[in-house]
Amino acid sequence: MTKNLVIVESPAKAKTIENFLGKDFTVKSSMGHVMDLNKKKLSVDIENDFKPEYEISPDKKKIVNELKKLAKEAETVWLASDEDREGEAIAWHLYNALGLDDNKTKRIVFHEITKDAIENAVKNPRSIDKNLVSAQFARRVLDRLVGYKLSPLLWKKVKPALSAGRVQSVAVRLIVEREEEIKNFKSVSFFKAIAEFELDGKKFKAEYSEKFDTADQAKEFLQNEIDAEYTVSSVEKKPAKKSPSAPFTTSTLQQEASRKLGFPVAVTMRVAQNLYESGKITYMRTDSVNLSNFALQKAKEEIEKVFGKEYVKTRKYATKSKGAQEAHEAIRPTYMENHTIEGTKDEQRLYELIWKRTIASQMADAKLEKTTVNIDSSKASKSYIANGEVVKFDGFLKVYTESTDEDTEQHVDGMLPPMKKGDKPELVKIEAKERFTKHPPRYTEASLVKKLEELGIGRPSTYAPTISTIINRGYVVKESRPAEKRKVTVLELKNGKLTEKQVTENTGSEKAKLFPTDIGILVNRFLMKYFPDIVDYNFTATVEKEFDEIAAGKKEWNKIIKDFYGSFNEKIEETQKNSGKFSGERLLGVDPETGKNVYVKIGRFGPIVQIGDTESDDKPKFAGLRKGQSVETITLEEALKLFDYPRTLGEYENEDVSVAIGRFGPYVKHGKKFYSLKKDDDPASITLERAIELIEEKRKADKEKVIKTFPEDPDVQLLNGRYGPYLTIKKQNYKLPKGTDPKALTLEECYEIAKDPKNMPKKRYTRKKK
């Protein structure tokens, strides 16, 4: 009989905790949520105060039955899910699904998985916090109502298989509006004059304090500076300091891991979860910057030991976020003395980032000396300004420097040569280079998280899934785009001579930025027109605050949902009845061959060009847009070229061979089979001979992929994959036991392999967002 049964969400967490508790404790995993709303129906009883109709998830019935059996045998059941609203909801669902008894059920929480923390939690159990559970119910029910009611409307009015969500739609709006800002931005050129001086054999740079709107103004200025004399008019030295950033919250960790490590937000959360569950860091979903007194003491000891007493400065940071959830700590290492850890490369890199940020937050300020020198010209009305900065004491900079989202052109020289008022530096040259104003930057995952947090939209648990959702649903793409070439004018005054030249520079390159797709733009327009409240920033932020008030026991969750639902449902019915098809149709012009109108719009299967009117007697012609083309920017000429396909290349094996362009790019069609073109193949110039090569290459690859088939059951195949041979039965793949010769396997042996759970593909545990 089990004396104590501890239930956590994940197997990794269970394994770590089991190491800390004695033989009287059995630790089991629920593998995340065990109950959920039915995916095939609304599962919210609107007439009964919006009661959510939770049921045991089909894939969790076996786990629930196993846990039920263990719970019946146990003297005490400890619900040890995570210390946040979702964790509280998991505990509540376990309590109900397992039919637990109040007298033998205890709720324990901890924000780090260490021996002390676990033992302390067991000594201080509590009951399930119904307010936290209600806050999670409110989020789940509101999101279900919005998604379940809005999505079918989008299918009917815009395009099948679309979806809308309360937070995801606002995130898409941010990205769409930023793209519109960029589209409407008019870049303006200007000239900035930077002089290079020399004093006592040392060179330094200084910038003229006025910019010039045109090349003629810059030329006139440089012409005037010929034979000018320069005098230092002032030297100002000021002490300055830099202070470290606060320890990581979820959002700042996501931002910094994106900037410094190049991690997508979802990767950061997956790796951080691994670190937490293996006991290496504190809980990774938090908006608190607070560190416990214990952590402060340990950080102080480590800094003194490694860097010396002069590097210690204990700080208590206050959490600014109004909607901060429960009293968590910031994300920090569980053991400050561990500068590095064992684990995967990603785990090691993220842990090191967390360790450095935490330690730096408790280190002394960096002490700097900033020098500003003004240099007057005998012929110019304004001064040249040279800035220098010297680190007198590195403090926290010895460990860590925070990154920024965008590169800036601000440049500060390190050390200037010694100067005093009245010194006369020699001019080496002045360069006035054409520069351009920059459009607002596109969002990265990191900067989008920052913006969502600033607006009060979402919470630590929702940032990563929100970004994953809008990308997975095709509303946004994350991609890099190459730079374009741009000619710029460079004017230079050197040795009394003024020269002008044109140079080429790269501009506009984008790395891992978020771009709205045509579908994303169209869905946003639809929601902005018919459901402005849903995509309103203030509404979404207000809802988050109301969730916080529910969690604090200040509001009833049912009333908040009721207040929202009435007007929302009326708007759904009104839009369903009165609005027409919403395709984002745009007239491009007239086809010169037929005289018919040419339109671009979103069709049933994505962006298309249409020649001819839908209402006309003649059936319109359609063509899909190519990758990289957009409904927003495609021209009439580009649209008409799409109708050059399919293009017949000839015959092979008595069947036609043609080239066409589909939703996923250009392809060759031979009979009823399709063959993708390679990157270097151009559909406009591909020959029959090259098409045959592609056909034969694919046939050869397919043939080599098949190791063995069974005529008596064609659904069973042994194939070669990226990671070696594997078994497939009715499109379900299975691993082969080590040392198995796939060629020697019989059909019966294949069936046996498929029955063994060890050979099923591994499913990574991720905590579902409810």
Side-chain angles (χ1 to χ4, degrees):
M1 179 178 172
T2 304
K3 193 171 182 182
N4 293 281
L5 173 64
V6 181
I7 306 175
V8 297
E9 295 105 319
S10 79
K13 190 174 171 183
K15 190 177 177 183
T16 308
I17 291 172
E18 203 160 39
N19 292 332
F20 298 133
L21 296 171
K23 56 180 172 42
D24 290 338
F25 287 81
T26 299
V27 186
K28 292 291 179 182
S29 163
S30 69
M31 299 293 285
H33 285 268
V34 294
M35 299 183 81
D36 196 6
L37 302 177
N38 190 304
K39 290 182 173 65
K40 294 180 180 176
K41 57 183 182 179
L42 181 60
S43 294
V44 175
D45 189 346
I46 293 168
E47 304 303 322
N48 187 18
D49 273 343
F50 299 91
K51 183 182 176 183
E53 296 169 343
Y54 285 103
E55 57 186 48
I56 296 170
S57 305
D59 62 335
K60 294 297 174 66
K61 286 181 178 176
K62 187 179 176 184
I63 290 171
V64 168
N65 288 334
E66 289 171 358
L67 292 175
K68 258 186 186 177
K69 188 180 174 185
L70 290 168
K72 275 184 182 178
E73 297 171 354
E75 289 179 18
T76 307
V77 178
W78 306 78
L79 300 176
S81 47
D82 288 337
E83 187 192 11
D84 59 8
R85 295 170 196 172
E86 193 167 354
E88 211 68 22
I90 289 173
W92 175 249
H93 289 320
L94 284 166
Y95 177 84
N96 286 285
L98 304 183
L100 298 178
D101 181 347
D102 271 344
N103 296 323
K104 59 180 278 186
T105 305
K106 295 181 180 180
R107 171 81 170 113
I108 55 172
V109 293
F110 36 83
H111 62 266
E112 64 182 18
I113 303 175
T114 59
K115 188 174 177 62
D116 287 346
I118 303 301
E119 288 177 349
N120 188 54
V122 170
K123 287 174 189 172
N124 297 282
R126 62 169 172 80
S127 57
I128 293 171
D129 188 328
K130 300 287 177 56
N131 292 328
L132 294 184
V133 174
S134 294
Q136 186 62 20
F137 280 6
R139 179 187 293 280
R140 187 75 180 101
V141 169
L142 182 60
D143 288 347
R144 172 53 70 99
L145 290 171
V146 171
Y148 206 85
K149 294 283 185 177
L150 256 185
S151 297
L153 190 63
L154 287 173
W155 304 344
K156 186 175 180 182
K157 302 294 182 181
V158 182
K159 179 182 173 291
L162 296 178
S163 72
R166 188 177 53 83
V167 178
Q168 75 176 55
S169 298
V170 174
V172 172
R173 179 187 170 187
L174 281 168
I175 294 164
V176 169
E177 288 185 346
R178 178 55 55 87
E179 199 65 27
E180 286 170 357
E181 282 182 72
I182 292 168
K183 186 179 171 184
N184 296 327
F185 183 82
K186 304 295 181 193
S187 183
V188 178
S189 70
F190 63 94
F191 287 78
K192 186 193 284 188
I194 295 178
E196 186 177 302
F197 293 105
E198 186 172 340
L199 185 66
D200 298 331
K202 292 182 179 178
K203 292 180 180 177
F204 64 96
K205 290 182 179 179
E207 182 181 328
Y208 191 64
S209 55
E210 182 182 8
K211 295 179 176 65
F212 306 100
D213 294 334
T214 65
D216 287 342
Q217 289 176 355
K219 278 183 197 173
E220 186 182 343
F221 166 75
L222 292 176
Q223 196 76 43
N224 192 52
E225 286 293 271
I226 294 173
D227 297 329
E229 291 185 356
Y230 300 94
T231 307
V232 173
S233 58
S234 68
V235 178
E236 185 179 23
K237 291 188 178 183
K238 279 185 179 178
K241 68 174 184 177
K242 278 185 182 175
S243 298
S245 300
F248 282 131
T249 61
T250 302
S251 70
T252 54
L253 176 64
Q254 289 169 347
Q255 291 165 48
E256 197 71 339
S258 175
R259 299 178 194 123
K260 276 186 162 34
L261 309 178
F263 284 4
V265 167
V267 169
T268 299
M269 292 313 292
R270 174 173 56 76
V271 176
Q273 184 155 330
N274 293 346
L275 291 172
Y276 166 66
E277 290 178 348
S278 57
K280 296 180 177 76
I281 64 169
T282 52
Y283 192 53
M284 67 287 161
R285 293 185 185 92
T286 176
D287 34 25
S288 170
V289 291
N290 180 51
L291 293 177
S292 67
N293 290 332
F294 173 78
L296 293 174
Q297 182 58 34
K298 288 296 180 184
K300 179 184 176 184
E301 289 172 10
E302 194 60 23
I303 294 163
E304 276 189 17
K305 185 175 83 176
V306 177
F307 305 109
K309 280 188 179 181
E310 68 274 22
Y311 280 90
V312 174
K313 183 176 180 180
T314 300
R315 293 179 178 81
K316 277 230 168 195
Y317 291 90
T319 300
K320 293 177 185 175
S321 173
K322 290 179 184 174
Q325 277 196 38
E326 299 69 48
H328 295 153
E329 270 193 89
I331 303 168
R332 63 164 175 84
T334 48
Y335 303 102
M336 297 292 182
E337 61 270 27
N338 293 342
H339 298 206
T340 58
I341 56 156
E342 290 184 1
T344 66
K345 190 175 180 184
D346 284 352
E347 287 169 359
Q348 289 174 344
R349 293 174 73 204
L350 191 66
Y351 178 86
E352 189 178 326
L353 188 67
I354 293 166
W355 184 86
K356 285 181 175 179
R357 175 82 164 223
T358 308
I359 289 292
S361 75
Q362 301 305 309
M363 291 178 72
D365 294 331
K367 293 177 182 175
L368 315 169
E369 183 180 78
K370 290 192 173 184
T371 304
T372 303
V373 177
N374 280 31
I375 299 168
D376 291 345
S377 164
S378 59
K379 293 189 171 185
S381 60
K382 292 187 169 60
S383 301
Y384 293 83
I385 299 169
N387 291 306
E389 184 177 281
V390 179
V391 177
K392 294 288 190 180
F393 173 66
D394 54 3
F396 77 94
L397 293 175
K398 186 177 275 291
V399 172
Y400 183 81
T401 309
E402 188 174 11
S403 301
T404 56
D405 286 318
E406 294 295 325
D407 294 330
T408 63
E409 289 188 358
Q410 291 178 341
H411 174 76
V412 178
D413 286 324
M415 191 181 291
L416 295 172
M419 278 183 269
K420 61 184 184 298
K421 186 176 178 180
D423 281 346
K424 294 188 175 295
E426 291 290 323
L427 178 69
V428 178
K429 66 175 181 180
I430 306 174
E431 182 182 271
K433 185 177 180 181
E434 187 177 16
R435 297 164 191 266
F436 296 84
T437 53
K438 291 182 177 180
H439 61 66
R442 288 182 173 89
Y443 287 108
T444 60
E445 288 194 8
S447 60
L448 181 62
V449 166
K450 186 178 181 182
K451 185 67 176 178
L452 289 169
E453 187 180 39
E454 284 172 2
L455 293 171
I457 295 166
R459 286 295 178 261
S461 62
T462 64
Y463 300 134
T466 296
I467 292 172
S468 297
T469 297
I470 63 176
I471 292 173
N472 293 339
R473 290 187 174 158
Y475 294 156
V476 170
V477 291
K478 177 184 168 185
E479 59 187 32
S480 298
R481 295 186 180 176
E484 296 174 352
K485 300 287 184 187
R486 174 172 68 190
K487 289 198 178 299
V488 297
T489 301
V490 180
L491 306 169
E492 186 180 81
L493 174 63
K494 190 174 183 179
N495 298 325
K497 290 182 180 179
L498 178 59
T499 59
E500 178 179 345
K501 63 181 177 181
Q502 294 269 312
V503 298
T504 302
E505 68 177 14
N506 291 327
T507 182
S509 68
E510 302 280 15
K511 187 177 179 184
K513 295 292 179 70
L514 299 174
F515 297 82
T517 62
D518 288 333
I519 296 291
I521 292 168
L522 188 63
V523 168
N524 182 65
R525 282 182 189 156
F526 178 83
L527 294 176
M528 290 290 287
K529 182 173 182 179
Y530 295 109
F531 298 91
D533 284 353
I534 295 297
V535 286
D536 181 80
Y537 301 134
N538 290 330
F539 165 75
T540 312
T542 300
V543 168
E544 294 293 350
K545 288 175 188 171
E546 288 180 323
F547 291 160
D548 296 337
E549 289 173 324
I550 295 166
K554 295 177 182 176
K555 283 195 176 181
E556 291 181 25
W557 76 268
N558 317 65
K559 187 177 183 307
I560 287 172
I561 302 297
K562 188 177 180 180
D563 291 344
F564 162 79
Y565 184 72
S567 58
F568 171 69
N569 196 49
E570 282 176 17
K571 189 65 179 170
I572 290 278
E573 290 173 357
E574 182 191 326
T575 308
Q576 184 90 22
K577 186 178 175 183
N578 299 325
S579 71
K581 189 75 176 168
F582 202 86
S583 67
E585 185 174 275
R586 188 164 70 91
L587 177 65
L588 296 177
V590 175
D591 175 19
E593 280 189 26
T594 63
K596 293 179 180 178
N597 286 334
V598 181
Y599 303 93
V600 63
K601 63 181 183 179
I602 302 294
R604 184 175 177 80
F605 300 108
I608 56 168
V609 172
Q610 174 182 321
I611 297 180
D613 290 288
T614 308
E615 299 80 15
S616 68
D617 295 333
D618 295 336
K619 190 178 177 183
K621 289 167 65 181
F622 301 96
L625 270 62
R626 295 180 66 174
K627 189 178 178 182
Q629 291 180 325
S630 166
V631 168
E632 297 292 305
T633 57
I634 192 170
T635 64
L636 176 63
E637 185 184 6
E638 289 167 340
L640 291 172
K641 279 184 180 176
L642 296 172
F643 291 90
D644 293 345
Y645 303 95
R647 184 167 67 85
T648 302
L649 301 177
E651 279 194 4
Y652 180 55
E653 297 174 341
N654 298 319
E655 288 193 282
D656 286 340
V657 179
S658 60
V659 63
I661 298 170
R663 289 173 65 203
F664 304 108
Y667 62 89
V668 165
K669 184 182 179 188
H670 178 229
K672 293 182 179 179
K673 293 197 173 181
F674 303 90
Y675 306 86
S676 296
L677 269 62
K678 299 285 195 289
K679 278 186 180 179
D680 297 332
D681 291 318
D682 182 356
S685 59
I686 191 170
T687 63
L688 176 62
E689 289 72 21
R690 175 59 182 151
I692 292 169
E693 282 179 19
L694 292 172
I695 292 166
E696 291 300 334
E697 281 176 18
K698 182 72 167 56
R699 285 177 177 175
K700 186 183 176 189
D702 288 347
K703 192 175 178 182
E704 289 173 352
K705 185 179 179 181
V706 178
I707 299 171
K708 190 173 184 178
T709 58
F710 301 91
E712 54 267 53
D713 189 346
D715 287 331
V716 181
Q717 290 181 301
L718 289 153
L719 305 174
N720 269 317
R722 285 176 64 190
Y723 305 107
Y726 66 96
L727 168 67
T728 181
I729 301 178
K730 291 184 179 177
K731 296 185 180 179
Q732 173 67 59
N733 299 338
Y734 303 89
K735 293 189 298 180
L736 296 181
K738 278 187 179 178
T740 302
D741 179 2
K743 290 178 183 176
L745 287 171
T746 65
L747 183 60
E748 288 68 28
E749 286 170 333
C750 289
Y751 290 147
E752 288 303 314
I753 287 170
K755 285 179 189 173
D756 190 339
K758 288 187 295 194
N759 300 321
M760 290 289 286
K762 277 188 181 178
K763 287 184 181 177
R764 182 184 294 279
Y765 161 73
T766 53
R767 193 172 75 155
K768 293 178 184 174
K769 299 289 144 229
K770 300 299 174 199

